[in-house]
Amino acid sequence: MDRVVSALGEIAYDLENAALSHRLAWKAIGLEGDLQPSLGSELERKSARQFTIHREPEVAENKKPDYIVQSAASPDRVAIELKLIDKWSGNELVERLENQLIGQYMRHRECRSGVFLLVAQRKQGLTFTVAGRQRRMKLAEALDYLQMVANSCVASVSSAERVVVLALQLPG
């Protein structure tokens, strides 16, 4: 899991800082499914052959996460669910985290870890509201809130070990 998170961090760094990156192409993508192949290729490149990436494999009960990452050193798998957050409300993101990533994909006995990967195509002005919160949250606060929700869910699901909430921002 740590190597997957590290590889995603390297991709985030490249998107924000590298002279040549995919950020302009990724900003123009309108559907999550259209981003999956390119992101999967980048993740594979960053893996340094330490893990393999499978796009939309079936896990349990015909459910298909965006990616499953598996290391040769361990039978455990990491489910990655990708969301273009410009297209989702705060409540919808919470629901997808709880019910899709944790509730469906991490129910598989070998898939105890997950990454909720949010891609922000706009740098400025992203705010989110969620039920029970009095004010809108900026992206950093929303990530903290989603991580808190993930931690709470993991604590209540016996087969789950860890969920990390990450964001990739695509600056102009």
Side-chain angles (χ1 to χ4, degrees):
M1 172 74 155
D2 291 335
R3 182 63 192 124
V4 172
V5 171
S6 177
L8 290 167
E10 291 173 27
I11 292 169
Y13 179 85
D14 288 349
L15 286 170
E16 293 179 13
N17 300 295
L20 297 173
S21 76
H22 300 291
R23 72 177 166 256
L24 293 177
W26 287 12
K27 282 181 78 83
I29 289 174
L31 300 172
E32 290 159 4
D34 294 340
L35 179 57
Q36 289 174 351
S38 183
L39 179 60
S41 294
E42 281 299 300
L43 191 54
E44 182 78 30
R45 193 171 65 79
K46 297 291 185 186
S47 75
R49 300 186 189 270
Q50 293 180 0
F51 52 82
T52 57
I53 297 101
H54 306 280
R55 183 172 169 231
E56 293 193 339
E58 186 175 315
V59 285
E61 299 171 5
N62 298 321
K63 303 302 180 187
K64 296 180 178 184
D66 293 323
Y67 307 98
I68 288 288
V69 179
Q70 186 169 10
S71 166
S74 170
D76 293 336
R77 301 172 184 176
V78 177
I80 300 176
E81 184 57 27
L82 168 69
K83 296 294 179 212
L84 294 175
I85 59 173
D86 302 77
K87 302 181 182 311
W88 295 83
S89 72
N91 288 329
E92 289 170 326
L93 290 171
V94 170
E95 189 275 331
R96 296 289 74 203
L97 171 64
E98 292 175 333
N99 297 322
Q100 190 176 27
L101 177 61
I102 298 169
Q104 293 176 359
Y105 307 148
M106 291 178 60
R107 286 180 41 211
H108 189 278
R109 70 183 180 283
E110 294 175 349
C111 193
R112 296 187 299 239
S113 299
V115 176
F116 197 53
L117 182 61
L118 309 174
V119 176
Q121 292 176 302
R122 293 182 300 158
K123 186 163 178 95
Q124 301 296 326
L126 281 174
T127 60
F128 303 90
T129 57
V130 293
R133 299 286 246 182
Q134 297 298 326
R135 60 181 178 77
R136 295 185 72 77
M137 296 180 282
K138 292 185 178 182
L139 180 58
E141 187 179 4
L143 291 175
D144 290 343
Y145 180 79
L146 289 167
Q147 187 63 62
M148 181 186 70
V149 169
N151 293 344
S152 176
C153 288
V154 165
S156 67
V157 176
S158 62
S159 61
E161 289 182 1
R162 183 175 171 205
V163 172
V164 175
V165 178
L166 295 174
L168 300 178
Q169 290 190 327
L170 304 175

